[in-house]
Amino acid sequence: MYSEEDLINRCLNNEAKAHTDFYKRFAPKMYGVCLRFAKNQMEADDILQEGFIKVFLNLRTFRNEGSLEGWIRRTIVNTAINLFKKNAKYLKDIEIDKAEIVQNTEEGALDKISVEELLNLIRELPAGYRMVFNLNVIEGYTHKEISELLKISENTSKSQLSRARQTLQKKLSKLNCVYC
Amino acid sequence: MSEKYKNIDDLFRDKFNDLEVDPPAHVWDNVKSGIYGSGKFGPGKPFFYGGIMFLSVALIFLGVYSFLFFNSTPDINPEIYTANNLTEINNSTNKSEDNLLAMQSAPIKEVDVSYQDHSSSDPKSKGKKKQKVIFDISQNNNITSGKTSLVVTDNNNLTKTVPSNIQKEKDPATDISEIANELLEISFLKPGDDSELLALNQTEYEAVETKMEEINTEIIEEENVANTLSDNNPSNPEQSSNQEVRSDYGKKGNLKLGVYFTPEMIFYPSNSGFNNRSYSVDLNAIYEFSGYLIQSGIGVNWLSDDGNYKIDYNKYLGSYEDVYNVTFDTTGNEVIPIYHTETVDVYDSIDHITITPTKSNYTYLQIPVLFGYGHENRRFGWFVKGGPSLSILVHENIADINLSDSQNQIINVENELPSRISTNWQFVFSGGVSYKLSSHLSLSVEPVFRYYIKSVYDNTNLNTKNPYSLGLRAGFLLDF
């Protein structure tokens, strides 16, 4: 197993095997990210493909100041954002006050929910909800950052997140009933 | 909500934290074709650049060769031969391989008929009265005088120059062969070993003389016909009162050197957000012949792309003095503690992101090869031309990161700017007018349309395919 630095250098030296190793090392994790952002598997494939092409073509710009995986992840997420911006026409503001928070859930029932089921829940969300939820909850972006990235207001970002949570709660409740 | 998951966010974070899923195999295949097809990676890269270099060298070689070929003046013999004389060029020291040199440098004696022996002085040849000779025949064109000299050389260094005339209606090659055949019919006699006088018997000498007279008479007649045709030709410069026309007459082609400046606007039909401007300076050689033109050269093209820097950073909160060691000074009467410190910067643990606009500048080398047609009438001229043009990215200048607070710790920087491919081909079409400022300097203005065969950017998903540009090329033409 090569170190990240060696792997990068070999990739920059145009070694075909290094490209394959690089992809095999990071693609599974990045595909998990893509599946969260995409509405279906085909779109996830596209994001991964385009994202990795960008990664390889811009690998020389990577600074060794942060982790390589983090840099690749940023690239993949940005690719997903670009795809979203290309497809999304507009995002509506939603009144946050009206977003309900469902708190009552059977203890231990959530542990039984599989990753695949959660993925399906996220995929069923509208594109805007899914994007803001992923960026804020999973990737850790603030609403200000999301507003800059998606070119929306902070309030829109907050309202989309609130509605996403509300929708997911409802769906989780239904799933819980199955496991109760 | 269960105790493990305080809220819905924790549930999703936990479940997705280490999610790894093997992607389908076709994705990697597509990624490979994407990166190897970009020209930045893959086994084809050296070959690709090698091909470009070869093509560039070939184009330059072709240009230089064309220049030399079309501008080389034919060998001109300053002597104008008269039809009444047979001229024998004799160089007593030359060998057979030096015939050409001898022909150009040796003094020309004009005699009616004279022969000198430069063949072997071998006594064995003595007594040979008659010998067939083999002739080397070459043609010496004299464009200025409008005449052709036929040089007949035997293998024994006997060189004779037989004049003939150029008659456009008649194939010169036919003339040469006819005259050569006629001469070959004559049995030249070799001089005797004493080499003082040509040893001809009277009968044979008369036969030669008669034949020569016939040839000369025929030549004179043909020359008269040619002169009559030339005098009646309206394009004959000698008949023209225009000095410029006279001086240009007989030139095979015309070479010009052009210096151009071209501002262009590049349009992206499917994504107008990428529309941008470019400026180029070109130095081109233009060869014109019979109204047609070939243009090639080299140019530099500058353009820029607007984009964003996406910077991940941690905010600088301040610093403190960290005591990493304490020692005690006991040399005095009291114990004095000495604190060894170092300054430690403190950054916010929360990642921040900022987006700042940036501009990247690119420089391309341009090599066009254009073909066209034009016409020039006194001062004004018009032309149309088109052809391929190769652009090679030779320099790119990506702007530095501009973060408002330089003390912040940058974690990662991503340039939200699609990178450009290193080479691209275009088809260029233009048409314009020229105005002659002086006999050697012209002004040229031409609108230019340029169609890019494929996107100039790496990422084909950006909808930047097949851009085109409109520009106005203006420059000066230097006429040689």
Side-chain angles (χ1 to χ4, degrees):
Chain A
M1 179 77 83
Y2 290 95
S3 68
E4 284 185 354
E5 198 172 342
D6 287 342
L7 195 56
I8 292 169
N9 289 333
R10 286 173 59 227
C11 284
L12 292 176
N13 285 334
N14 200 19
E15 292 182 31
K17 190 176 180 308
H19 293 146
T20 310
D21 292 344
F22 187 98
Y23 179 80
K24 282 182 177 172
R25 186 183 293 189
F26 296 107
K29 194 144 197 167
M30 296 308 133
Y31 195 52
V33 176
C34 296
L35 287 171
R36 276 193 288 108
F37 278 93
K39 66 181 176 205
N40 54 41
Q41 189 184 334
M42 197 180 296
E43 195 174 278
D45 293 353
D46 289 344
I47 295 170
L48 186 74
Q49 177 185 318
E50 192 180 330
F52 260 94
I53 289 173
K54 283 169 74 175
V55 165
F56 279 118
L57 294 180
N58 296 294
L59 197 55
R60 68 179 188 282
T61 65
F62 172 69
R63 302 173 174 206
N64 287 311
E65 292 166 353
S67 81
L68 177 60
E69 187 183 314
W71 181 75
I72 297 169
R73 191 186 182 104
R74 293 270 189 207
T75 306
I76 297 288
V77 170
N78 284 330
T79 306
I81 291 170
N82 289 338
L83 184 69
F84 167 80
K85 283 200 285 192
K86 204 162 75 173
N87 296 330
K89 297 292 180 192
Y90 55 89
L91 295 173
K92 286 180 181 175
D93 278 357
I94 298 162
E95 292 294 326
I96 300 172
D97 298 341
K98 293 179 181 176
E100 293 179 32
I101 305 296
V102 179
Q103 296 285 350
N104 301 323
T105 311
E106 284 291 325
E107 195 169 332
L110 291 176
D111 293 334
K112 297 173 187 171
I113 300 174
S114 67
V115 175
E116 287 73 22
E117 285 170 320
L118 290 179
L119 269 179
N120 286 332
L121 291 183
I122 283 193
R123 281 178 185 174
E124 286 168 7
L125 289 174
Y129 295 1
R130 186 171 61 246
M131 178 56 68
V132 174
F133 183 81
N134 268 312
L135 288 176
N136 180 269
V137 175
I138 315 293
E139 303 298 333
Y141 287 82
T142 64
H143 286 295
K144 187 173 183 300
E145 290 164 351
I146 293 170
S147 69
E148 286 181 350
L149 284 171
L150 302 182
K151 294 188 170 39
I152 56 176
S153 69
E154 282 189 56
N155 279 338
T156 304
S157 175
K158 287 173 184 172
S159 66
Q160 295 279 318
L161 178 64
S162 173
R163 183 54 68 93
R165 281 186 176 133
Q166 185 184 4
T167 308
L168 286 172
Q169 286 277 15
K170 283 179 182 172
K171 290 177 182 291
L172 276 172
S173 300
K174 287 179 186 173
L175 268 179
N176 274 329
C177 292
V178 176
Y179 293 114
C180 291
Chain B
M1 191 69 64
S2 67
E3 286 186 3
K4 186 177 179 182
Y5 304 114
K6 298 293 182 194
N7 54 48
I8 192 171
D9 296 355
D10 290 341
L11 169 69
F12 280 91
R13 275 196 210 104
D14 181 66
K15 293 280 186 182
F16 290 142
N17 191 32
D18 296 318
L19 175 62
E20 290 191 17
V21 183
D22 285 331
H26 70 84
V27 176
W28 174 231
D29 293 336
N30 293 339
V31 170
K32 273 196 293 188
S33 61
I35 59 174
Y36 294 154
S38 70
K40 285 194 173 184
F41 295 100
K45 184 183 174 187
F47 182 78
F48 181 69
Y49 283 114
I52 288 170
M53 287 194 63
F54 174 78
L55 189 65
S56 303
V57 170
L59 284 173
I60 291 167
F61 177 77
L62 187 69
V64 171
Y65 178 78
S66 302
F67 176 78
L68 294 175
F69 179 78
F70 287 115
N71 286 281
S72 61
T73 53
D75 294 335
I76 296 172
N77 193 332
E79 297 292 336
I80 301 173
Y81 301 101
T82 59
N84 295 327
N85 296 320
L86 271 177
T87 304
E88 180 180 328
I89 300 172
N90 183 11
N91 186 335
S92 60
T93 56
N94 70 338
K95 302 298 178 186
S96 60
E97 63 268 24
D98 294 332
N99 283 341
L100 181 61
L101 179 63
M103 185 177 68
Q104 291 174 337
S105 60
I108 298 170
K109 292 189 291 182
E110 293 186 356
V111 292
D112 285 335
V113 176
S114 72
Y115 294 96
Q116 264 187 302
D117 182 22
H118 290 279
S119 61
S120 170
S121 58
D122 185 359
K124 288 178 183 176
S125 64
K126 201 169 189 176
K128 284 184 181 176
K129 295 274 182 175
K130 194 173 179 180
Q131 183 181 348
K132 288 233 175 190
V133 291
I134 302 167
F135 294 95
D136 295 333
I137 299 171
S138 62
Q139 192 175 21
N140 194 11
N141 288 326
N142 187 328
I143 298 298
T144 307
S145 65
K147 292 180 179 177
T148 298
S149 302
L150 182 67
V151 179
V152 184
T153 310
D154 74 22
N155 282 353
N156 293 321
N157 298 337
L158 187 64
T159 305
K160 302 173 183 64
T161 308
V162 179
S164 72
N165 69 319
I166 289 181
Q167 188 174 352
K168 289 181 180 173
E169 292 79 10
K170 198 167 181 179
D171 184 3
T174 312
D175 284 346
I176 296 165
S177 60
E178 281 177 8
I179 295 169
N181 288 335
E182 286 171 342
L183 288 171
L184 280 168
E185 286 171 3
I186 305 167
S187 297
F188 282 103
L189 294 176
K190 297 301 293 181
D193 290 341
D194 53 6
S195 304
E196 291 174 356
L197 289 171
L198 187 66
L200 293 172
N201 66 40
Q202 188 61 31
T203 310
E204 288 170 330
Y205 179 80
E206 285 174 358
V208 170
E209 199 171 37
T210 307
K211 192 67 185 175
M212 289 303 171
E213 282 176 1
E214 286 175 9
I215 294 170
N216 288 341
T217 307
E218 189 181 330
I219 288 167
I220 290 166
E221 286 173 358
E222 289 174 350
E223 197 171 45
N224 289 337
V225 171
N227 287 338
T228 307
L229 288 170
S230 178
D231 289 344
N232 294 334
N233 186 356
S235 63
N236 186 345
E238 301 301 329
Q239 306 302 317
S240 172
S241 59
N242 187 335
Q243 191 60 38
E244 284 187 12
V245 173
R246 292 172 77 145
S247 64
D248 288 343
Y249 186 82
K251 284 175 87 173
K252 277 189 170 180
N254 189 24
L255 184 72
K256 290 179 178 175
L257 193 67
V259 181
Y260 299 99
F261 173 70
T262 315
E264 283 181 78
M265 186 74 194
I266 305 171
F267 299 96
Y268 294 83
S270 51
N271 195 341
S272 60
F274 282 90
N275 291 356
N276 56 9
R277 294 183 299 274
S278 81
Y279 303 94
S280 53
V281 173
D282 298 88
L283 181 65
N284 282 193
I286 305 154
Y287 183 74
E288 296 173 339
F289 57 100
S290 306
Y292 296 98
L293 62 90
I294 301 174
Q295 177 172 342
S296 185
I298 204 160
V300 184
N301 175 242
W302 296 275
L303 51 84
S304 61
D305 284 335
D306 292 322
N308 293 313
Y309 268 131
K310 196 180 289 180
I311 306 169
D312 298 321
Y313 67 96
N314 289 334
K315 270 185 181 172
Y316 177 75
L317 299 177
S319 64
Y320 65 91
E321 295 298 314
D322 179 43
V323 180
Y324 63 91
N325 195 10
V326 181
T327 57
F328 298 94
D329 184 4
T330 56
T331 53
N333 292 331
E334 55 184 346
V335 177
I336 301 171
I338 300 171
Y339 300 98
H340 301 269
T341 62
E342 62 181 1
T343 305
V344 177
D345 293 330
V346 180
Y347 298 95
D348 192 354
S349 60
I350 300 169
D351 285 356
H352 294 269
I353 187 168
T354 183
I355 298 172
T356 58
T358 181
K359 187 183 278 287
S360 297
N361 298 309
Y362 302 92
T363 306
Y364 284 92
L365 190 69
Q366 289 188 151
I367 305 172
V369 181
L370 307 178
F371 305 92
Y373 184 81
H375 181 71
E376 204 168 57
N377 184 14
R378 289 188 176 273
R379 286 195 174 276
F380 285 100
W382 61 266
F383 53 85
V384 288
K385 56 195 171 189
S389 178
L390 173 66
S391 291
I392 304 169
L393 182 63
V394 291
H395 182 254
E396 56 184 340
N397 181 24
I398 311 295
D400 288 335
I401 303 159
N402 184 18
L403 197 58
S404 55
D405 189 348
S406 60
Q407 286 186 301
N408 289 339
Q409 186 180 43
I410 295 173
I411 301 166
N412 186 39
V413 177
E414 188 175 337
N415 190 353
E416 278 192 326
L417 193 66
S419 55
R420 286 173 167 264
I421 57 175
S422 53
T423 57
N424 63 73
W425 284 92
Q426 310 111 47
F427 281 119
V428 181
F429 305 97
S430 67
V433 292
S434 63
Y435 178 76
K436 211 163 208 172
L437 300 170
S438 70
S439 60
H440 291 290
L441 188 67
S442 302
L443 180 67
S444 168
V445 180
E446 51 184 308
V448 181
F449 174 77
R450 188 186 298 269
Y451 179 77
Y452 295 75
I453 295 171
K454 63 176 186 176
S455 172
V456 297
Y457 294 107
D458 265 337
N459 194 338
T460 54
N461 292 327
L462 290 169
N463 285 333
T464 56
K465 290 176 182 174
N466 305 118
Y468 63 91
S469 72
L470 294 173
L472 188 67
R473 177 186 290 170
F476 292 99
L477 299 171
L478 193 62
D479 194 346
F480 290 103

